[in-house]
Amino acid sequence: MTASDEEPLPPNRFELELEFLQCLASPAYLHHLATTGVLSDPKFIDFLNYLKYWKSPEYVKFVSYPHSLYFLELLTTSDKFRREMGEASFRNFVHQQQFFAWQFRSRHLYGTGLQETADGSSDSSPK
């Protein structure tokens, strides 16, 4: 197949690749890819390596789910991670750890919410 025989790239390639990249933030989706054998396909791993350009500053600003970049790195560098994602218990563990990371980040950035005063009313003033 020559370059002239190849299909043209879709005009919405940016959006398609960004959407796919962000799907990688889902442990359930990674588990699906692992159990269907996609994560053991060398061509798919090559595609994941190609997607690493999203880590550069001019593209990373469009990524809403930073875990997708972390999982992308693990998927491209760790055979063990790709194998383990096929196990439901590991998928659940990764999901739980992801939740704890979000919970910690939320509390760190936004605090724990309204503080209760001695009389039982809510005080919105910062402490």
Side-chain angles (χ1 to χ4, degrees), residues 113-115 117 122-127:
L114 298 176
Q115 302 295 322
T117 61
S122 296
D123 179 15
S124 61
S125 62
K127 303 287 183 211

Side-chain angles (χ1 to χ4, degrees), residues 75-120:
L75 290 168
T76 57
T77 60
S78 175
D79 291 334
K80 183 176 182 179
F81 181 76
R82 290 193 302 267
R83 281 193 314 273
E84 290 290 327
M85 279 311 298
E87 301 294 326
S89 59
F90 187 71
R91 175 205 60 205
N92 294 340
F93 172 75
V94 170
H95 185 260
Q96 182 183 47
Q97 295 305 306
Q98 185 180 53
F99 170 77
F100 291 148
W102 287 337
Q103 186 179 41
F104 173 78
R105 179 174 161 75
S106 176
R107 283 189 183 156
H108 180 71
L109 289 175
Y110 309 113
T112 57
L114 298 176
Q115 302 295 322
E116 200 169 297
T117 61
D119 67 354

Side-chain angles (χ1 to χ4, degrees), residues 20 37-51 76 82:
F20 176 76
V38 174
L39 290 184
S40 57
D41 182 352
K43 288 183 180 184
F44 186 73
I45 303 306
D46 289 343
F47 175 66
L48 292 176
N49 278 310
Y50 158 75
L51 290 176
T76 57
R82 290 193 302 267

Side-chain angles (χ1 to χ4, degrees), residues 5-107:
D5 294 336
E6 292 180 12
E7 289 186 38
L9 295 173
N12 62 341
R13 178 178 169 193
F14 177 86
E15 292 87 357
L16 292 172
E17 290 180 0
L18 177 59
E19 183 176 353
F20 176 76
L21 173 74
Q22 295 194 115
C23 286
L24 298 179
S26 168
Y29 183 61
L30 298 180
H31 176 73
H32 167 73
L33 293 175
T35 57
T36 57
V38 174
L39 290 184
S40 57
D41 182 352
K43 288 183 180 184
F44 186 73
I45 303 306
D46 289 343
F47 175 66
L48 292 176
N49 278 310
Y50 158 75
L51 290 176
K52 286 184 175 183
Y53 77 87
W54 284 97
K55 295 170 116 181
S56 63
E58 62 267 24
Y59 292 101
V60 75
K61 63 186 173 187
F62 297 104
V63 176
S64 298
Y65 302 106
H67 278 146
S68 62
L69 296 171
Y70 179 70
F71 290 148
L72 176 64
E73 188 64 29
L74 286 172
L75 290 168
T76 57
T77 60
S78 175
D79 291 334
K80 183 176 182 179
F81 181 76
R82 290 193 302 267
R83 281 193 314 273
E84 290 290 327
M85 279 311 298
E87 301 294 326
S89 59
F90 187 71
R91 175 205 60 205
N92 294 340
F93 172 75
V94 170
H95 185 260
Q96 182 183 47
Q97 295 305 306
Q98 185 180 53
F99 170 77
F100 291 148
W102 287 337
Q103 186 179 41
F104 173 78
R105 179 174 161 75
S106 176
R107 283 189 183 156

